[in-house]
Amino acid sequence: MKTASSPTPTETAPATSIGQWSADDASSLARKTDVQKSRVIFGTTLFVVFVCAALLVMNAWLVVRARTAENEQIARANTNLARAVSQQIESTVALAEHIISGLVFELERSDITPDTLQRLQPVLVNHTSEVQAIRGLFIYDEQGRWLVHSEASAAGSRNNSDREYFIHHRINPSARTLISGPIVSRSSGEWVIPVSRRINDPNGNFAGVVLVTLSVKHLLAVLDRFQIGEQGAIALFRTDQLLVRRPFREADMSRRNTDSPLQQRFQASRSGTVEGRSAIDGVTRIISFEHLLDYPLFVTVAAGKDEALREWKSASIYQTTWVVLLCLIIGVSGRYLIRSMRRRLVAELHLRSARDALTEANERLEHLAQEDGLTGLANRRYFDARLVLNFQQALESQMALAVVMVDVDEFKKYNDLYGHLEGDECLRRAAQALRSAVWRSGDLVARYGGEEMVLLLPATDADGALEVAQRARLAVADLQIPHAATGRGIVSVSLGVAAWVPQPGSTPFELLKAADEALYLAKEGGRNTVKVHG
């Protein structure tokens, strides 16, 4: 049964439809949802950026890889072509050397007499006619005079003692074949490459020179058979001196490039591929070079870099354009998606805010609908609902339920004397006093109508209800609200108490009626008092 212990807040109006814990939980869940959605937006943005970056990086890698592969293919093609050209040049030079060696052997084993020379004349003509690369064959004496040759015209008083190759053999005892730089033939007026060898007399003294001239025109015709592109070039060098080059320019003949970085790289190894700017025409090329095995010559095959990489550039530009376009499409689509997600998130936030505002408004409306506007106590409608609920609970648990009916004594006289505004203020103060007298959170203080109020006290017997009622009466009296129309001179209240354990078949309104009857007895008994039913 109820005992008057420590004060606790009193329930005067119903709780909201959403409890405090539920509202906090919903707010926390909403915040977590917003954070998750923000993370999804951030993750989507990061994914779009990553995909675009990955496409661009992959494209750059493919472009670089394709360029490397293209360079390797160009280098292989140039190297194979350089080897083919060098082998052909080497076979031509070897054939010329073989002819020279045979003539030198014939001249050195016999005296150089008119009969010997006359016998060699058809041999020289025959060699020249059989080998297309040979422009002419010549034999000179120690003074440089023409002894015998393959030309159709007579030698006359011609003399070649001023030629570089002749001077070399005259002062150099070496019996090795010499390949000289290109010169203009005095017999044909064409560019030729001299291949010569010294003739010794029986005593080892200088006795003359055997010369084979290789036709530059023929060599150019051979080089023209190889496809090297419009910017390509094929050249034959002797150490640092140009012998023949395609494309042909007369100004380039016998050109020397001793200080050229490319020439230095050509001399550093037997074969290889380099990239550089040509000192002859200034075109940047990819150059493969190959040295001949048995002669101090080397061949270069060069492909114009811009021309060779033209297809790669076109393919790279086309591929990059499509990748960039794809990135733009992904970026635009991703941006649209992200903006849509953000708009949706903002819309959801607005909707949630509107929902929360509506919920709060509904709660306020519900609270106002269950609260008395004048006193702030629960209204009659809410009291009736709580009475039925508490009565059913008391019936099930077989615990006492108490109702205390309260009436402000002679309130009509108060209104007539002080006016309705003061009457309203009187009711408000009386309501607060009643509320202060009820200490348990499960108890309810309500305005029943007019100047009547009611206390609903679950799990409270008659003694406990009487104690609360007396406390409420004293609380109102302690307000000392003046009331000149009564003999006591202050506002007071009368209270009727009814409390019992509900039984099957009984109704809550029977309990309420009993409390009302007790109130009537209190008013009849002189007011400012408490009466307990039966």
Side-chain angles (χ1 to χ4, degrees), residues 14 53 147 167 206 228 240 296 304 315 359 372 427 482 484 513:
L147 295 179
I167 297 172
F206 178 66
I228 56 173
D240 63 337
T359 301
D372 178 63
L427 288 178
K513 182 179 179 181

Side-chain angles (χ1 to χ4, degrees), residues 256-335:
R256 293 181 182 272
N257 296 296
T258 55
D259 296 331
S260 170
L262 287 177
Q263 287 293 334
Q264 295 173 11
R265 297 182 68 175
F266 294 155
Q267 299 301 330
S269 58
R270 187 166 191 82
S271 62
T273 300
V274 298
E275 182 179 315
R277 186 184 180 89
S278 172
I280 296 176
D281 55 15
V283 176
T284 300
R285 294 184 173 92
I286 301 172
I287 308 168
S288 294
F289 61 94
E290 185 80 20
H291 285 261
L292 275 63
L293 294 176
D294 299 322
Y295 302 101
L297 305 175
F298 67 91
V299 173
T300 63
V301 175
K305 182 179 178 180
D306 291 340
E307 183 179 22
L309 297 178
R310 186 176 298 160
E311 291 187 6
W312 167 80
K313 286 182 179 179
S314 299
S316 298
I317 291 173
Y318 181 78
Q319 175 180 305
T320 302
T321 300
W322 276 107
V323 170
V324 171
L325 182 60
L326 180 59
C327 287
L328 288 176
I329 294 174
I330 294 175
V332 171
S333 301
R335 185 169 180 267

Side-chain angles (χ1 to χ4, degrees), residues 42 56 148 205 255 265 286 337 422:
F42 176 76
L56 293 174
V148 64
N205 297 319
R255 184 186 183 106
R265 297 182 68 175
I286 301 172
L337 176 62
E422 288 296 327

Side-chain angles (χ1 to χ4, degrees), residues 26-82:
S27 177
S28 176
L29 181 60
R31 285 195 298 270
K32 290 180 180 179
T33 303
D34 293 341
V35 170
Q36 290 176 352
K37 289 181 178 179
S38 298
R39 288 177 179 173
V40 170
I41 292 175
F42 176 76
T44 303
T45 304
L46 191 63
F47 176 75
V48 170
V49 172
F50 172 77
V51 169
C52 292
L55 286 174
L56 293 174
V57 171
M58 179 62 70
N59 176 72
W61 180 76
L62 290 174
V63 168
V64 172
R65 184 181 180 186
R67 189 180 189 278
T68 301
E70 189 70 16
N71 283 336
E72 291 176 353
Q73 184 176 354
I74 294 170
R76 284 195 298 269
N78 284 358
T79 299
N80 292 334
L81 186 55

Side-chain angles (χ1 to χ4, degrees), residues 169-190:
H169 290 304
R170 187 172 59 195
I171 63 176
N172 192 330
S174 173
R176 293 179 61 85
T177 301
L178 174 68
I179 303 173
S180 303
I183 59 176
V184 177
S185 174
R186 289 173 177 168
S187 60
S188 64
E190 298 180 8

